[in-house]
Amino acid sequence: MIHALRSISRLYRPLSRCLSSSIEPLVSGTRRGLFKDVFPAETARLQLSELLSSGPQTVYCGFDPTADSLHVGNLLALLGLLHFHRAGHHVIAVVGGATAQIGDPSGRNQEREPLSPERVEENVLGIRDSLHRIFANHEVLANNAAWYRQRSAVEFLASVGRHFRMGTLLSRHSVQSRLSSAEGMSLTEFTYQVFQAYDFYYLNQKHGCKIQLGGTDQLGNLMSGHDFIHRTTGEDVFGILLPLITSTTGDKLGKSAGNAVWLNRARTSPFEFYQYFVRQQDSNVERFLKLFTFLPLPEIEHIMEQHAKEPEKRIPQKRLAAEVTKLVHGKEGLESAKSHLQTGIKHGRHGRSLSREVHSGPVS
């Protein structure tokens, strides 16, 4: 599986002028480092490229509303959808109103605190706000609670559960790591991969969706969805894995780690959001320009050349902060952030460390 996407990029490089815009997100995303891998590795290199070349496809990614806002850790998944959307493909952002009540064990050392249905619905509304603003209302937004609401547990297990094999489910890394921990794993968490697999199946049947995006920590869930769809329909579907964004200490960015930078301005203001990116270290900034913006790669190369000549101006950091703030908060949000910054400079204030500025608020 490793280097599979790089192989796609090399394979199509001689034909780059002939590539249709429909396959461009896969090649461009690979070169930018946005798409780290594909699944299944044995077949996806060619089949996924052929599928995208055949016409507009439906691509989906899920976001569980375990808080009332998405955060920077979710931003790459949104950008992945946007790359496909800009190339003419159909994208679906699934808000997990049902799966948030189950709790994804991937990358966690202990079980999530349970959320009430009322709390989940409040969080869904907050996340909808982020998605509508970033996608400018062009995406298809779905809540997976809609397709579970009318199903009983017995009927779901009888019709869906019989297609999953315990040995395979137990072999997933997210399961193995939890089973070997002191706390262990609840049955509720264990079934999460079944529910996410069914989400993929449902979207495949209703919308012809054959591609799911997810972070590298979602590989086990992607594999379960692929296996379930192939077992029940015989269709080939694919997963595209995105890298996880980590802090300078190597921790995954997110609410669980306590270092979230939120996308909703009620949690993190446009100014604080801008400051997070403008303070990025030189070692991160070129990679982040490739990951978090739509700037052409030659332009990013030029920006870095300018930076090498005049590092004190922090040209790439300022461009990065401007591009991402505009994407998330719009032109008005960017202007607000810059105005706040100028006011602070005028009065001799440079702001506190963002890690202490991010609005706390209740999180799960």
Side-chain angles (χ1 to χ4, degrees), residues 62-71 74 78 92-98 119-147 149 262-265 327-328:
F63 305 89
D64 278 352
T66 52
D68 61 2
S69 173
L70 298 176
H71 50 76
N74 303 123
L78 295 175
I92 302 176
V94 173
V95 180
R119 175 69 182 281
V120 169
E121 185 57 34
E122 291 175 4
N123 291 347
V124 167
L125 295 175
I127 288 178
R128 279 179 180 270
D129 178 64
S130 294
L131 293 172
H132 280 307
R133 187 171 59 252
I134 293 172
F135 282 91
N137 296 316
H138 289 301
E139 92 291 357
V140 174
L141 186 62
N143 185 341
N144 65 10
W147 51 86
R149 195 170 286 124
W262 304 96
L263 304 191
N264 283 12
R265 63 175 61 201
L327 171 70
V328 173

Side-chain angles (χ1 to χ4, degrees), residues 60 94 99 144 147-148 195-203:
Y60 110 90
V94 173
T99 42
N144 65 10
W147 51 86
Y148 292 113
F195 282 93
Q196 189 175 122
Y198 184 78
D199 286 348
F200 197 177
Y201 169 83
Y202 180 89
L203 295 171

Side-chain angles (χ1 to χ4, degrees), residues 116 223 244:
S116 69
M223 293 169 72
L244 299 178

Side-chain angles (χ1 to χ4, degrees), residues 71-72 253-262 267-268 354 358-359 363:
H71 50 76
V72 167
L253 288 184
K255 52 193 174 298
S256 302
N259 56 8
V261 179
W262 304 96
R267 289 291 196 105
T268 301
L354 180 64
V358 175
H359 295 222
V363 299

Side-chain angles (χ1 to χ4, degrees), residues 59-352:
V59 183
Y60 110 90
C61 188
F63 305 89
D64 278 352
T66 52
D68 61 2
S69 173
L70 298 176
H71 50 76
V72 167
N74 303 123
L75 198 50
L76 288 192
L78 295 175
L79 282 159
L81 290 178
L82 281 170
H83 274 280
F84 279 102
H85 175 69
R86 286 160 64 109
H89 296 287
H90 310 297
V91 299
I92 302 176
V94 173
V95 180
T99 42
Q101 297 178 63
I102 304 297
D104 185 0
S106 302
R108 294 184 61 86
N109 296 320
Q110 58 186 13
E111 189 169 5
R112 297 176 186 272
E113 289 295 323
L115 296 174
S116 69
E118 294 76 19
R119 175 69 182 281
V120 169
E121 185 57 34
E122 291 175 4
N123 291 347
V124 167
L125 295 175
I127 288 178
R128 279 179 180 270
D129 178 64
S130 294
L131 293 172
H132 280 307
R133 187 171 59 252
I134 293 172
F135 282 91
N137 296 316
H138 289 301
E139 92 291 357
V140 174
L141 186 62
N143 185 341
N144 65 10
W147 51 86
Y148 292 113
R149 195 170 286 124
Q150 303 303 320
R151 306 196 69 161
S152 71
V154 172
E155 184 273 331
F156 183 79
L157 287 173
S159 62
V160 176
R162 67 178 65 256
H163 296 287
F164 293 84
R165 296 294 175 262
M166 287 298 298
T168 303
L169 296 179
L170 286 167
S171 70
R172 305 301 188 210
H173 175 72
S174 61
V175 174
Q176 286 291 314
S177 61
R178 288 296 300 280
L179 289 178
S180 61
S181 69
E183 182 175 313
M185 187 180 208
S186 71
L187 174 63
T188 302
E189 286 184 297
F190 180 71
T191 63
Y192 184 90
Q193 58 182 309
V194 175
F195 282 93
Q196 189 175 122
Y198 184 78
D199 286 348
F200 197 177
Y201 169 83
Y202 180 89
L203 295 171
N204 173 263
Q205 295 299 293
K206 294 293 183 180
H207 300 283
C209 179
K210 295 184 178 182
I211 303 170
Q212 179 182 357
L213 302 186
T216 52
D217 60 343
Q218 293 295 306
L219 177 59
N221 295 330
L222 285 167
M223 293 169 72
S224 293
H226 169 273
D227 293 350
F228 176 48
I229 293 171
H230 192 72
R231 181 187 295 268
T232 55
T233 72
E235 284 193 56
D236 290 316
V237 295
F238 307 93
I240 298 178
L241 300 174
L242 304 103
L244 299 178
I245 299 300
T246 59
S247 67
T248 53
T249 60
D251 296 323
K252 174 183 172 182
L253 288 184
K255 52 193 174 298
S256 302
N259 56 8
V261 179
W262 304 96
L263 304 191
N264 283 12
R265 63 175 61 201
R267 289 291 196 105
T268 301
S269 73
F271 169 69
E272 294 165 341
F273 189 85
Y274 180 92
Q275 287 291 86
Y276 169 76
F277 284 98
V278 87
R279 288 173 175 156
Q280 287 301 316
Q281 299 177 1
D282 286 355
S283 57
N284 287 336
V285 69
E286 182 176 6
R287 176 171 175 255
F288 278 16
L289 281 168
K290 294 176 180 178
L291 290 174
F292 287 107
T293 79
F294 292 97
L295 296 176
L297 294 180
E299 184 173 351
I300 294 174
E301 184 178 351
H302 176 66
I303 290 171
M304 296 310 299
E305 289 173 354
Q306 289 181 298
H307 181 60
K309 296 175 182 177
E310 301 175 298
E312 70 282 358
K313 291 186 176 181
R314 297 181 65 79
I315 294 172
Q317 283 89 346
K318 292 176 182 177
R319 186 63 183 277
L320 171 68
E323 293 290 330
V324 185
T325 303
K326 185 177 179 181
L327 171 70
V328 173
H329 292 292
K331 185 177 180 181
E332 178 274 330
L334 175 58
E335 291 175 350
S336 170
K338 288 185 173 180
S339 176
H340 192 147
L341 180 63
Q342 290 302 318
T343 300
I345 292 175
K346 182 178 179 180
H347 292 86
R349 300 193 304 269
H350 296 283
R352 297 164 294 168

